[in-house]
Amino acid sequence: MADSNDSIPLDAQKIYLGGKEHRVRTRCGSVSVIVYGDQDKPALITYPDLALNHVSCFQGLFFCPEAASLLLHNFCIYHVSPPGHELGAAPICESTSPPSVDDLADQILEVLNFFGLGAVMCMGVTAGAYILTLFAMKYRERVLGLILVSPLCQAPSWTEWFYNKVMSNLLYFYGMCGLLKEVLLQRYFSKEVRGTAEVPESDIVQACRRLLDERHATNVMRFLQAINGRPDLTSGLKRLRCRTLIFVGDSSPFHSEALYMTSNFDRRFSALVEVQACGSMVTEEQPHAMLIPMEYFFMRYGLYRPCQPSGSPRSPLSPSCISPELLSPESMGLKLKPIKTRVSLEV
C-alpha cells in the first residue's frame, strides 16, 4: 500500500452510505475512490460513464437488494471516479493538461497499487467500460474479469464524433445547460423512462438530471476530450483471456457497438446479455436484469450469493441446483434475454 501521506487523513475522509472516500494521488492528478465493504475480500473496481459518478451510475444496482447481496457478499467495492466527477468536486485548473485514455487507464493501476490490490474484477459503463477494457489490455495480470455495460471499443464513428463535438461546444460556451443535459440523458436512458409530453420522466431520470447539475463543465469536457480521442481496441480483444460479461440495452445508442465488441472477443471467455426496453445505463434503468447473468458469471470464480432461509422467486440459484451444462463456455456465450433467462432457470 502506498504511503499514507498520499491519502486524505482519516478524519477528513467522507462517508457515503457506509463507504469511505480516499483521495489517491497519481501521476495525472488525484483520484477519488469510494470504498465499500471488507477490504480483505476480492476487489471489484467500478468506473462510470461520462459526467457520472458512483451515485448516478451504480446506485440503482447497489440499491437492488439481491444484487447488493451478491456483490457485497463476495467483494469489497472500489468506486473510482473520473477526475473531477466525484461528489463535491471542484473545477480542475484549466492549466492542467487534460488526460488521455491511457492516462486514465494508468490511474487505475495506481489506485490498485495504492490499496495493495492484486488481480481485480472490473465493472464499467460505456466510457468507463472502455477505460477498464484498455486497462485489462495493458495490465492483463491485474484483471480477473470484466463486466461491461453498453461498452465502447472502436474509435468514435463520425456520428459519435459529431455529437461529442456538439457537447464540447455546449460545455465550453454554456456549461451544464439544459440542452446538454438532454443530450446526456438520451445517451443514458431509453425513451420509455425519459418520458413524453403526456408521460412524466421517471424518478431515476429526474435524480440523474439533478446530479448532473453538480458537475463542472470543465471537468466533464476533459473526460469527453479523452474519450473522443480514443484509439480502436478491436485488435487486442481476442488476446484477452479474462472472462467478460457484456450487458447492453436494446435501446442504447451504443447497441451496435456492444454487438461488434462481443463478436471480436474470444467466445470461450465472453457472454452477451441484451436487455429489452432499456437504454445504455442498465445499472440504473433495469438493474434486476443483471442479477442472474452475474450470478452465473461469478460461479465460474467459485463465488455465490449467501444462503437465505427462504428462496427468492427472482433468483432461485444455489450451487446444488445448477446444471454443469449451464456453466459451459457454450452456454456462457449465448445471447440471453433477461425475461427468457429467468423463465428457463425456474423450469
Side-chain angles (χ1 to χ4, degrees):
M1 184 176 290
D3 189 275
S4 59
N5 291 332
D6 290 338
S7 177
I8 287 180
L10 184 61
D11 58 2
Q13 291 170 343
K14 299 175 183 177
I15 304 298
Y16 294 109
L17 299 175
K20 183 179 294 183
E21 181 184 45
H22 299 258
R23 301 286 299 191
V24 180
R25 291 193 180 99
T26 72
R27 182 177 56 84
C28 297
S30 66
V31 179
S32 170
V33 183
I34 308 294
V35 181
Y36 290 86
D38 181 355
Q39 289 183 255
D40 290 331
K41 292 182 178 180
L44 171 66
I45 305 294
T46 75
Y47 209 97
D49 191 18
L50 177 71
L52 302 176
N53 54 37
H54 74 287
V55 173
S56 46
C57 195
F58 297 103
Q59 184 170 264
L61 178 64
F62 283 90
F63 275 20
C64 177
E66 292 170 314
S69 172
L70 171 67
L71 295 170
L72 292 173
H73 176 70
N74 289 295
F75 298 101
C76 180
I77 315 299
Y78 296 79
H79 290 301
V80 181
S81 291
H85 282 54
E86 66 272 14
L87 293 171
I92 297 174
C93 179
E94 293 185 9
S95 63
T96 305
S97 299
S100 66
V101 288
D102 277 289
D103 292 331
L104 296 174
D106 290 343
Q107 281 187 329
I108 302 293
L109 178 66
E110 294 185 73
V111 167
L112 266 57
N113 291 340
F114 173 81
F115 288 104
L117 302 175
V120 300
M121 191 71 67
C122 295
M123 179 188 294
V125 177
T126 310
Y130 178 93
I131 298 299
L132 292 177
T133 303
L134 177 59
F135 171 71
M137 293 173 68
K138 295 182 71 170
Y139 307 103
R140 297 181 192 180
E141 73 283 357
R142 305 301 290 272
V143 178
L144 289 171
L146 290 168
I147 300 173
L148 307 176
V149 181
S150 305
L152 307 172
C153 74
Q154 299 180 92
S157 65
W158 282 110
T159 302
E160 186 195 345
W161 182 90
F162 174 76
Y163 268 93
N164 289 347
K165 282 297 182 183
V166 168
M167 287 196 288
S168 291
N169 288 333
L170 288 172
L171 286 163
Y172 184 81
F173 290 107
Y174 302 105
M176 295 296 290
C177 62
L179 178 57
L180 176 72
K181 285 186 282 188
E182 289 303 322
V183 173
L184 287 171
L185 292 172
Q186 289 179 26
R187 173 189 178 98
Y188 306 147
F189 298 109
S190 67
K191 61 184 179 180
E192 285 81 2
V193 295
R194 292 201 313 272
T196 63
E198 295 78 23
V199 181
E201 63 186 17
S202 70
D203 290 343
I204 58 170
V205 176
Q206 292 178 30
C208 187
R209 186 188 298 276
R210 289 192 296 270
L211 290 166
L212 288 174
D213 287 333
E214 301 175 7
R215 300 282 77 76
H216 291 286
T218 53
N219 299 355
V220 175
M221 189 159 58
R222 290 165 64 89
F223 190 21
L224 179 59
Q225 288 171 344
I227 290 299
N228 211 30
R230 68 184 187 267
D232 194 315
L233 301 181
T234 303
S235 62
L237 294 178
K238 281 201 185 323
R239 293 196 297 271
L240 281 176
R241 288 296 178 264
C242 63
R243 298 187 185 281
T244 303
L245 176 60
I246 297 176
F247 293 92
V248 65
D250 64 4
S251 299
S252 168
F254 305 106
H255 180 262
S256 61
E257 178 85 1
L259 299 185
Y260 172 84
M261 188 174 186
T262 303
S263 70
N264 281 278
F265 272 116
D266 188 325
R267 295 194 177 187
R268 294 173 299 168
F269 304 108
S270 63
L272 171 68
V273 180
E274 292 181 85
V275 184
Q276 296 172 334
C278 187
S280 299
M281 201 155 39
V282 184
T283 51
E284 292 293 311
E285 193 169 340
Q286 291 199 38
H288 57 276
M290 299 178 66
L291 176 64
I292 290 176
M294 284 197 304
E295 286 189 289
Y296 279 124
F297 184 68
F298 292 146
M299 284 178 192
R300 303 292 293 184
Y301 300 89
L303 303 173
Y304 303 93
R305 285 183 58 210
C307 296
Q308 297 177 345
S310 58
S312 164
R314 185 182 297 162
S315 180
L317 304 180
S318 67
S320 60
C321 76
I322 302 302
S323 167
E325 290 78 13
L326 291 176
L327 299 179
S328 66
E330 293 78 9
S331 179
M332 282 298 292
L334 290 174
K335 184 172 101 172
L336 304 175
K337 298 287 186 180
I339 293 177
K340 292 182 180 177
T341 302
R342 192 178 308 128
V343 169
S344 65
L345 293 172
E346 292 173 351
V347 172

